Amino acid sequence: MSIELRHFRCFLAIADTLSVTRAAERLHLTQPAVSRTLRQLEQQLGVRLVDRSTHHLALTPDGESFHDQAAIAVTAFDRALRQARHTGWPLRLGHAWSAAGTDTTALLRRWHEEHPDTPLELLRIDDRTAGLARGDVDAALLRGEVRTPGLRTEQLTCEPRVAGLPADDPLAHRAALSLTELADRTIALNIVSGTTTLDLWPPHARPSATLTIGNTDDWLAAITGGRAVGVTTSATAEMHPHPSMAYVPLTDAPPVPVVLAWRDAPGHPRIPDLIALAHEVMGPGPGRA
C-alpha cells in the first residue's frame, strides 16, 4: 500500500479536531474508517503520529512535525487543481488579530482596484504564524518577532503598546500608565498568537497572576468581564472599540513591529505586489514609530 492524499486529509482532520468522531463527521466517513486510515499512514511512515493512550487525543512530537508538511502538501494539491480548472488563484492573507489595523480597508480596496484579476482573501487564523507555516495562507500580517524557520519577513511599521482595562477600572481614565502600575493585577495573556509575555515587565516587578487565553475575542471578554487587564497594541484599540473597555497608552513598553511574512519557497506570484502595496499603505506616517 502507498500513501495517498486521503491519508493526509484524514490525519489533518484528526489533528485539527483532536477527535476521531469529529474528524469522521468532517470527512463524511465512519469512525472505523478514519481510525483505519490513520493506522495505515502511521505504518507506512513507521512513526506514531497520534497519542491515543488517554481519553483525549494528542499529537506526538512526530505528529507535530508532520502536521505542517502534510498541510502544505494538501494545500498545494488543491491549489494545483484550482489552477488546472481555471478557477483563479486567490491570494490568501492571514492574520491572528487586527489585520493591518485601520489600514485594513485601504489595503483591501487598493488591492481590488490595482489587481482585480487576483482576489485578496483576508483570513483570521488563531495561530502564531496565522496559518502561514502550515500552508493555510500565502502571506500573513504578523506582530512581534517571527522566529519560525522557513519564513521571510518585511517590516511594515511599528505600533505602540497600550493597556486594556475595564472601563470602570480606577486606572481607566488616566492619560498614560506604566507597566509597573499593572504588576499587582491579573494579566490576560494570549499564549497562542499574542505578543505580551511576563518578560515585558522588569524582573523585580513582574505580575504574579495571569489568565491564559487563546484569541482576541477571549482576551476582550476577560477584560470587559473584570477578570483581568491586558497589554496589546494600538491596532487592537482601533479595531476593537468597546463601551466596557478602555485603552490607555503605556509609557515604558517598547513598540511592536508589524511585519508581512511569507514562506521562503516558491509561492504565489503576486506576493511581491502585496509587499509593495503594504509598504505604500502601512508605511511610516504621523503617529507611527
Side-chain angles (χ1 to χ4, degrees):
M1 190 206 79
S2 60
I3 296 177
E4 302 173 3
L5 193 66
R6 63 185 179 88
H7 294 99
F8 281 32
R9 293 194 192 279
C10 180
F11 166 71
L12 291 173
I14 294 172
D16 291 345
T17 62
L18 294 180
S19 166
V20 171
T21 300
R22 290 193 291 273
E25 292 172 352
R26 175 182 293 188
L27 297 169
H28 304 291
L29 298 172
T30 64
Q31 294 183 39
V34 169
S35 296
R36 182 169 58 252
T37 302
L38 175 62
R39 284 197 303 272
Q40 292 171 347
L41 178 61
E42 291 178 323
Q43 289 169 0
Q44 288 297 308
L45 293 176
V47 296
R48 191 175 186 184
L49 302 174
V50 178
D51 183 1
R52 299 179 290 279
S53 62
T54 64
H55 295 297
H56 301 286
L57 297 185
L59 296 186
T60 65
D62 286 326
E64 294 281 0
S65 299
F66 182 69
H67 179 273
D68 289 349
Q69 299 306 314
I72 290 172
V74 170
T75 300
F77 178 84
D78 291 341
R79 174 172 290 173
L81 285 183
R82 287 197 300 269
Q83 285 296 98
R85 293 168 179 163
H86 305 289
T87 57
W89 187 352
L91 177 57
R92 300 162 305 163
L93 178 60
H95 72 104
W97 46 280
S98 296
T102 55
D103 293 320
T104 302
T105 298
L107 180 65
L108 296 176
R109 290 185 176 180
R110 285 276 305 275
W111 181 270
H112 178 68
E113 293 168 359
E114 299 178 21
H115 306 283
D117 58 324
T118 303
L120 180 61
E121 298 179 354
L122 185 65
L123 304 172
R124 173 182 155 181
I125 300 176
D126 294 317
D127 173 78
R128 181 64 63 185
T129 66
L132 181 60
R134 63 177 189 247
D136 291 342
V137 296
D138 303 294
L141 288 164
L142 305 176
R143 288 170 171 82
E145 184 179 358
V146 179
R147 301 178 180 176
T148 305
L151 300 185
R152 299 180 63 186
T153 62
E154 183 95 7
Q155 183 167 332
L156 302 172
T157 186
C158 283
E159 295 171 347
R161 279 186 166 99
V162 299
L165 305 159
D168 58 356
D169 189 280
L171 299 178
H173 300 291
R174 293 274 296 275
L177 292 170
S178 66
L179 286 168
T180 54
E181 291 179 281
L182 303 177
D184 62 345
R185 305 296 190 88
T186 298
I187 307 297
L189 298 178
N190 181 344
I191 60 172
V192 175
S193 59
T195 58
T196 302
T197 69
L198 294 183
D199 291 336
L200 191 62
W201 278 262
H204 65 280
R206 285 180 180 160
S208 58
T210 60
L211 177 65
T212 57
I213 48 88
N215 57 60
T216 300
D217 293 337
D218 291 346
W219 184 87
L220 291 166
I223 295 172
T224 57
R227 301 172 60 203
V229 301
V231 174
T232 185
T233 76
S234 58
T236 305
E238 296 161 351
M239 299 295 286
H240 300 282
H242 194 287
S244 299
M245 188 85 173
Y247 297 98
V248 181
L250 287 167
T251 59
D252 56 350
V256 176
V258 181
V259 304
L260 185 66
W262 65 98
R263 288 186 295 278
D264 188 13
H268 199 291
R270 289 291 195 183
I271 286 178
D273 297 320
L274 179 61
I275 295 170
L277 182 60
H279 271 298
E280 287 183 32
V281 174
M282 300 178 63
R288 286 187 172 138

